[in-house]
Amino acid sequence: MSKPVTTSENTQLKDIVAHAKEYGFVFQSSEIYDGLAAVYDYGPNGVELKNNLKRLWWEAMTQLHGNVVGIDAAIFMDPRTWEASGHVAGFNDPLIDNLDSQKRYRADVLIEEKAAEYERAGDPARAAALTATLGRLLTENDLAGVKQLILDEKIVDPLSGSAKWTDVRQFNLMFSTQGSAVDSDAPPVYLRPETAQGIFVNFLNVQKSARQKIPFGIAQIGKAFRNEIVARQFIFRMREFEQMEMQFFVRPGTEGEWYDTWKAARRRFHEAIGLAPEKLRFHDHDKLAHYAKAAVDIEYEFPFGFKEIEGIHSRSDFDLTQHQNLSRKKQQYFDNDLNPDTGKPYGNYVPYVVETSVGADRLFLATLCQAYQEETITEGEGEEQTTKTRTLLKLHPALAPIKAAIFPLVRKDGMPEKAQEIFDSLRFDFRLVIEDKDAIGKRYTRQDLIGTPFCIVVDGQTLEDDTVTVRDRDTREQTRMPISALRAYIGERVSFKTVFAKL
Ligand code: ATP
C-alpha cells in the first residue's frame, strides 16, 4: 500500500535527488527545456553504477547458472503480441481529473492513500475494508463505483483541497507509434511495456538453439515504456525505464518449488549487493492476476516507504498458451524424462513459467538511498577535538563507479608522473581517476561523495621505496603498501566474486 511522502521523508529524498544531480548520477531529461516529466538521464557516475548493477544481475543469472541463457529482443514487436498478452485490453489504470486544479490522478492511488491514512491513524480494520472494496470494484471494472467511493470517503485533491472530480475512466499505459510509412491504416506498433513478451515469443528459438532442457531460464535486460499517470518520486516511476527479467520454464507441477527457490535467491541477491536486510521485505499479492498461481513483491524501504523493487510471479502456462492460440504455432516442449508414476516420458506440454522481474532504475534508486549516509566524525583529542559531518556513498565496492582515485601529494617532484605510472599499470583492471587539485582532505571528500572505495596517495616516500598509502572510504584508515600489491588488494575487494559468494 502506498504511503504519502511526509515533509521530513521528502527532504531526505530531495537530498538524494540533489546529490544525484550534483555528482553526475542522474539528470532530468531535456533539463534545458525545463525537463520532460518522468524521464531521466544517467550521468557519468550514474551510468557506471547502473552498468555495474546490470552486469552483476546478468552474470548472477547467466554465468552462475548453466541453465539460464540471455537474449536481447527488439523493443518493437508484432502488435498481436500485446493482444495475446492481454495488454491491449487490460493494461489500464483508472484515472480521474480534478476540475478545479486540472490535475490528473490515479483513482486507485487516491483511495489507497486514504487507506494508508486510516492505518496511520490506528484504524487498520477500516483501512483493510477500504482496500478490499477498491479491489472488488476494480475486479468488476465498476468505474462508477470507484468514483462513488472517492466521494463517499470525501477524498479531495491533495493540491487544491477540491472535491470536484470527473468520472473515472480507464487509460491504457502503452505508448504507440505509426508502424508503417506507407500504409496509414496499418495498426500501431507499441513500445513494449515489459520485456517479458520478447522472451515468450522466442521460447522455442532459444530452447532449440541453446539446446536447453527443462528446467531452464531466459534472461533479458532492456527498455520498457509505460505512460504512467502518476509519475513522481524521482526514478522510482518513469515513463521510460529498464527491466531485468528472467523467465524460468518448468514442468507443470514443479512451479511451486521453483517459485520458492527463485524467491529466496532474489532476496539473497539484494542483500549481497548491500541492501540492508531490515529494509527488505516480501509482500504477497492479495489479489492475483487471473493466470497467476502466486505472486510476491520484494519491497525496499525507500525514504517514502516500503515499495516494490522486484516482482516474482508464478505465471502458469498463460503466456505461451496465449501466443500458441493467436499465432497458431505450437509452443510445446517434448520432455523425454521418465515420469516415475507411469514409467513413460512426460511427453509434450506447454511449460509453466516462474518469472523474476526487477527494475534496473528502482534497484539503482534503492542502492543510492542505502549508500547515501551522513556521518559525524570526531577527530583529535582533548581541547583539540573537533567534530564534523561527512556525506558519503557507502556503495558496495563492486558497484562503485570508480574503484580507486590516485592522488599525487603535490604537483611536482615527479609525483604526478608516478601517479600516471600507477594509473597506466592498473587501467586494464579497474576504472581509476587521478586527482591532483586541492588539499588531500578535499580530494578525499570528493571521492567519498561518489563512493570511491580506495584513495591511493603518492608522496615523498613513494619516490624512495615504491610504496603508497591506500585510504579506505568507510574506515578512513590508511595502509602503506608496495605499488606492486595494489592490483591484488583492490582486485579482491571490488571483485564481483565478493557478491557472488553470498548468493
Ligand atoms: P508498480 O505496481 O510499482 O507500478 P508493477 O507491479 O506494475 O509496478 P511490474 O509490471 O511487476 O511492476 O514490473 C516489474 C518491475 O519493473 C517492478 O518491480 C519495477 O522494479 C519495474 N518497474 C515497473 N514500472 C516501472 C516504472 N514506471 N518505472 C521504473 N520501474 C518500473
Side-chain angles (χ1 to χ4, degrees), residues 239-499:
R239 297 203 159 99
E240 173 179 342
F241 58 100
E242 227 167 340
Q243 287 186 316
M244 307 195 281
E245 295 198 299
M246 196 276 302
Q247 315 289 325
F248 200 70
F249 299 89
V250 305
R251 182 185 299 148
T254 63
E255 66 277 7
E257 301 157 41
W258 284 113
Y259 176 75
D260 292 340
T261 302
W262 282 110
K263 184 176 157 181
R266 294 305 305 148
R267 187 182 174 129
R268 280 199 300 278
F269 178 88
H270 296 301
E271 290 183 15
I273 62 167
L275 300 185
E278 67 277 10
K279 282 181 173 274
L280 288 166
R281 73 176 188 197
F282 287 121
H283 175 80
D284 283 309
H285 287 206
D286 318 315
K287 200 166 80 54
L288 291 179
H290 56 285
Y291 53 82
K293 298 209 123 202
V296 67
D297 293 336
I298 299 180
E299 295 185 337
Y300 176 77
E301 189 177 18
F302 289 98
F304 42 89
F306 271 102
K307 298 274 170 165
E308 169 180 348
I309 52 172
E310 172 153 10
I312 294 141
H313 311 121
S314 183
R315 299 179 70 116
S316 72
D317 58 357
F318 173 79
D319 304 85
L320 288 179
T321 304
Q322 287 288 100
H323 288 304
Q324 176 169 278
N325 292 344
L326 200 61
S327 68
R328 296 171 193 279
K329 308 267 170 16
K330 277 212 162 24
Q331 298 298 311
Q332 289 190 341
Y333 170 83
F334 185 81
D335 188 339
N336 52 19
D337 280 1
L338 289 186
N339 180 342
D341 293 339
T342 62
K344 294 193 183 127
Y346 283 98
N348 271 317
Y349 55 77
V350 179
Y352 271 36
V353 170
V354 172
E355 163 184 83
T356 71
S357 173
V358 55
D361 312 275
R362 280 197 194 169
L363 192 58
F364 182 102
L365 183 58
T367 305
L368 206 57
C369 292
Q370 181 72 48
Y372 183 89
Q373 297 188 13
E374 274 168 14
E375 273 184 2
T376 308
I377 303 169
T378 312
E379 278 170 345
E381 308 254 317
E383 299 235 319
E384 309 271 282
Q385 203 173 61
T386 55
T387 321
K388 59 176 185 180
T389 51
R390 72 161 176 161
T391 303
L392 77 161
L393 288 188
K394 254 189 189 173
L395 290 169
H396 189 300
L399 294 175
I402 293 168
K403 304 305 181 195
I406 310 168
F407 303 163
L409 187 62
V410 289
R411 262 190 276 179
K412 56 182 183 182
D413 301 337
M415 289 186 207
E417 291 76 7
K418 198 75 193 172
Q420 188 64 47
E421 226 177 80
I422 297 173
F423 181 95
D424 290 342
S425 73
L426 294 178
R427 73 193 169 110
F428 287 2
D429 301 275
F430 317 114
R431 223 177 151 264
L432 307 158
V433 65
I434 298 179
E435 278 256 28
D436 59 6
K437 286 184 201 68
D438 298 319
I440 286 285
K442 260 198 176 164
R443 291 187 240 172
Y444 284 146
T445 302
R446 265 204 301 270
Q447 295 305 318
D448 286 348
L449 288 164
I450 60 168
T452 306
F454 304 107
C455 293
I456 301 164
V457 177
V458 173
D459 55 17
Q461 197 178 325
T462 313
L463 306 176
E464 286 165 23
D465 65 4
D466 263 346
T467 63
V468 286
T469 62
V470 178
R471 182 256 197 188
D472 182 285
R473 176 196 66 201
D474 301 342
T475 62
R476 293 177 297 122
E477 264 165 34
Q478 292 168 34
T479 316
R480 189 163 275 281
M481 66 181 73
I483 292 172
S484 59
L486 287 172
R487 178 174 292 112
Y489 181 84
I490 300 169
E492 228 172 73
R493 287 159 179 79
V494 305
S495 166
F496 279 11
K497 285 185 204 164
T498 58
V499 173

